[in-house]
Amino acid sequence: MSNTELIAEITKVLPQIGAAPESRITRMTPVSGGCISTAHIVETSDQKYFVKSHTADSFMTKQMCKSMFEAELHGLNALRHTHTIRVPQPFHVGDLSSGAFLILEYIPLTRLRDHHKLGHQLANLHLFEGPSQFGFDSNNYIGSTMQPNGWHDTWVHLLQERLQYQFDRAQFTGHMKNMADKLIRRLTQFFKGLDIRPSLVHGDLWAGNCAADSSGEPVVFDPAVYWGHHEAELSIMRMFGGFTLDFYDAYHERIPRAPGFELRAQIYELYHTVNHYNMFGSGYLDQCQRLLERILQ
C-alpha cells in the first residue's frame, strides 16, 4: 500500500463523511498507531481526521483487515450510543488494493489526569442497560487475534468459548494442556452465587488506549467491544498498570467488588496473557503457567 493510494481512497469518500464538497487533502502525517495498524493524521482544507490502515500479511488477509476495522467501527458506535464516555466518532471503512483503512474523528489527546472521572464514567458504561445475552453482533479483534462474540445466555459459556479459542491457538501440550482443560471444565465454579448481567465493555482498556481531550475529558479508543462481565474490563487495566487508586475508588463506589473478585481477575488476566503469547511468542509462556497454577490451586 502506498500513501498515494491511501490519499486517493480517502479523497473519494470525503463527501460521504460530511466534508465540504471542495475539500482536498493538504497534509498526511504519520503518527503512532499501536503495534497492529499504521496511523496518520490527515488534514483537509477544513478538517482533520485520524486514519488507520492495515496491509494484508501472513497473519491477516485483506478481508480480515477490513473486518477488523468494521468491528472497530461497530464497537465505537456501540460505546457512543451509551453517552457515558467519549470515544472518537468513526466515519468510514474502505478498501485498499492489499488491505483496508478506517477514518475516525481526530481528537487532540493529552495525558489523562482525572482518573476519578474515568472511574465514574466507566462504571456508568458498565451499568448501561442492554440486551439479556452475552456477546456482540459480530466477532472482533483483541490485538490481531479474532475474538469470538457469539451470543450466549450465560457469561460462563461465552468465556469458555473464548478461553478455548485462545488455548487451541496456543497449542499447549503436557502439563499446560492438562491445566487449560481443567480450567475449562471447572470454570463454572468460579462464578457460583453471582448474578451477572451483561455490561457493555471496551474490552481492551489498557493505559495506551485511554487519554484525555483538550478539556481534560477522558477519551477511550481501540476497543474490542462486547456485552460481558464488567469485572473482565479491569483485568487488563491492572495487568499493565497506569491507573491510579482514584480510578478504582470511583469505579467501586458505583460497582462494589463481589466475593471472589481477585480470583476471577486472574482468569481474565489469563485470557489476555495467552493472547499475548499467541501474538508475541514464548516470552509470555511462564506467565501463562503461573496464572493457571494459581487459579487451579
Side-chain angles (χ1 to χ4, degrees):
M1 178 203 73
S2 68
N3 284 350
T4 301
E5 181 191 12
L6 182 58
I7 289 170
E9 293 301 320
I10 296 170
T11 301
K12 288 179 187 176
V13 301
L14 285 176
Q16 302 172 31
I17 62 175
E22 66 278 5
S23 286
R24 296 291 181 271
I25 293 175
T26 58
R27 179 181 299 176
M28 191 166 78
T29 307
V31 292
S32 173
C35 59
I36 304 300
S37 299
T38 301
H40 293 85
I41 296 173
V42 174
E43 300 180 48
T44 71
S45 48
D46 63 344
Q47 184 67 277
K48 287 185 180 181
Y49 300 95
F50 188 81
V51 178
K52 299 168 67 173
S53 58
H54 194 85
T55 302
D57 53 29
S58 58
F59 299 102
M60 298 188 77
T61 65
K62 181 178 183 296
Q63 183 54 45
M64 289 171 67
C65 295
K66 187 171 185 180
S67 66
M68 175 179 70
F69 287 141
E70 288 174 336
E72 182 172 345
L73 181 147
H74 294 320
L76 288 168
N77 278 332
L79 293 170
R80 279 171 54 83
H81 177 71
T82 70
H83 301 288
T84 56
I85 192 165
R86 186 173 185 189
V87 300
Q89 180 179 354
F91 292 116
H92 180 81
V93 173
D95 288 298
L96 297 168
S97 60
S98 58
F101 66 97
L102 169 65
I103 304 177
L104 300 165
E105 173 189 10
Y106 170 67
I107 303 174
L109 297 176
T110 62
R111 180 183 172 191
L112 176 68
R113 300 186 183 279
D114 195 343
H115 286 238
H116 190 270
K117 177 176 278 190
L118 175 66
H120 276 167
Q121 290 183 346
L122 193 65
N124 289 340
L125 170 66
H126 293 167
L127 292 170
F128 184 82
E129 291 291 333
S132 60
Q133 290 184 303
F134 299 86
F136 200 57
D137 291 332
S138 61
N139 296 332
N140 50 26
Y141 289 80
I142 183 77
S144 59
T145 307
M146 194 274 288
Q147 180 167 257
N149 281 328
W151 291 106
H152 292 269
D153 291 330
T154 71
W155 165 243
V156 171
H157 286 153
L158 176 58
L159 183 58
Q160 283 175 322
E161 179 183 25
R162 287 187 168 178
L163 284 169
Q164 189 66 65
Y165 181 79
Q166 293 284 359
F167 293 157
D168 289 347
R169 285 177 58 85
Q171 297 183 323
F172 290 145
T173 59
H175 181 51
M176 287 290 290
K177 186 178 189 311
N178 290 338
M179 288 193 296
D181 291 344
K182 184 182 289 188
L183 177 59
I184 294 295
R185 292 195 304 270
R186 292 175 51 186
L187 196 60
T188 302
Q189 75 181 55
F190 299 101
F191 296 86
K192 284 183 178 178
L194 289 184
D195 180 19
I196 302 176
R197 66 166 193 81
S199 293
L200 189 65
V201 298
H202 175 285
D204 195 13
L205 193 55
W206 65 292
N209 286 344
C210 183
D213 64 17
S214 57
S215 68
E217 192 73 15
V219 182
V220 299
F221 39 88
D222 289 350
V225 169
Y226 59 94
W227 292 92
H229 188 198
H230 64 86
E231 289 180 0
E233 188 86 278
L234 304 182
S235 61
I236 197 167
M237 301 178 79
R238 297 185 354 155
M239 185 175 168
F240 291 110
F243 298 92
T244 68
L245 288 177
D246 282 347
F247 163 79
Y248 292 103
D249 289 344
Y251 181 88
H252 290 301
E253 280 175 12
R254 302 200 174 177
I255 305 180
R257 293 186 179 199
F261 174 91
E262 291 296 338
L263 185 53
R264 290 188 299 275
Q266 293 181 74
I267 296 172
Y268 297 138
E269 182 178 340
L270 175 67
Y271 174 75
H272 290 290
T273 305
V274 178
N275 184 50
H276 276 67
Y277 169 72
N278 287 329
M279 289 195 300
F280 303 120
S282 59
Y284 286 91
L285 184 59
D286 286 347
Q287 192 175 346
C288 293
Q289 180 172 338
R290 288 194 298 270
L291 280 166
L292 277 165
E293 289 173 343
R294 286 204 301 266
I295 293 164
L296 293 170
Q297 68 185 5

